[in-house]
Amino acid sequence: MQIDARGITCPKPVIMTLQALKELLAGEALEVLVDDETARGNLTRLASEKGCALTVTEAGDHTVMTLVPEGAVEVASAEEEAAAICDLSATVPSVFAFGSSSMGQGDPELGHILVKGLIYALSQQDQVPSCCLFFNDGARLTCEGSDTVEDVRTLEERGCRILTCGTCLDFHHLRDSLAVGGVTNLYEIAQILSAQPGVVTV
């Protein structure tokens, strides 16, 4: 089996590798193609923690990391294990709460341009927020058809936790259209907002 993780930043390559390791047959090898030094280091640590034999081969502009598990690999939650393995120092402990698909009061079209620009700006900073919450009409921002999905996905790939309110997805009939991140509920949203000193509501 082979995974192409070139051009993708951690923790995504580690998540992809953990998910693939669960599906390997006995004696089967997993090849992971990476072109990021951080991902290479994190995958080396993953191989050690999961008891996998590791071979690293340089192939021009990328590296081929071949993992061969000794036996079945147990993974309870790929996202949680990846967070423990990866160095997510690129995140800053803050939460952005998007309760609308536009930003500010006034013209809706301008508001959407602003919120799209804000999400893009967040995804390009040296440090990204540790979590982004999407609820009420803001749930649309993480769903298929939204022009913000790719920038939200960039945030997730850089270590930002992306969560969308399940009640809101159901209300707008969008649960099957969720394109990035996970589904949450008001209990978890309350926990996140209560535990986080830095919260920005958009």
Side-chain angles (χ1 to χ4, degrees):
M1 184 184 297
Q2 186 180 85
I3 294 174
D4 189 348
R6 289 174 292 183
I8 302 175
T9 56
C10 279
K12 193 67 173 180
V14 176
I15 293 173
M16 294 166 63
T17 301
L18 285 165
Q19 291 171 337
L21 285 173
K22 291 194 301 182
E23 301 172 5
L24 285 184
L25 301 175
E28 191 176 3
L30 172 65
E31 289 187 347
V32 186
L33 312 184
V34 295
D35 57 4
D36 179 81
E37 187 63 31
T38 299
R40 175 172 167 161
N42 289 333
L43 289 172
T44 300
R45 187 155 52 250
L46 166 63
S48 175
E49 292 190 9
K50 292 297 182 181
C52 298
L54 175 65
T55 302
V56 179
T57 307
E58 298 302 328
D61 61 349
H62 66 278
T63 302
V64 180
M65 306 188 73
T66 305
L67 291 79
V68 182
E70 294 180 357
V73 176
E74 294 184 4
V75 179
S77 168
E79 289 78 9
E80 290 181 6
E81 292 195 30
I85 290 169
C86 294
D87 176 12
L88 299 182
S89 57
T91 63
V92 62
S94 64
V95 173
F96 274 72
F98 292 86
S100 174
S101 59
S102 66
M103 181 177 175
Q105 303 296 318
D107 187 273
E109 183 178 354
L110 174 59
H112 182 72
I113 292 171
L114 293 174
V115 83
K116 183 180 187 302
L118 175 63
I119 291 173
Y120 173 77
L122 288 173
S123 73
Q124 299 302 306
Q125 293 185 127
D126 291 337
Q127 291 184 308
V128 299
S130 55
C131 182
C132 283
L133 300 171
F134 298 85
F135 53 90
N136 209 322
D137 198 54
R140 300 182 186 276
L141 298 172
T142 56
C143 293
E144 294 173 1
S146 172
D147 56 5
T148 58
V149 166
E150 289 307 313
D151 292 329
V152 175
R153 185 171 288 119
T154 298
L155 281 168
E156 183 180 48
E157 290 173 351
R158 294 191 60 201
C160 179
R161 191 179 181 198
I162 304 297
L163 295 171
T164 302
C165 169
T167 300
C168 306
L169 289 170
D170 291 338
F171 181 86
H172 292 297
H173 306 290
L174 290 171
R175 187 175 284 263
D176 293 338
S177 299
L178 185 67
V180 57
V183 178
T184 188
N185 54 50
L186 289 173
Y187 179 79
E188 185 175 20
I189 289 175
Q191 285 187 315
I192 291 170
L193 294 179
S194 298
Q196 184 53 251
V199 178
V200 179
T201 302
V202 180

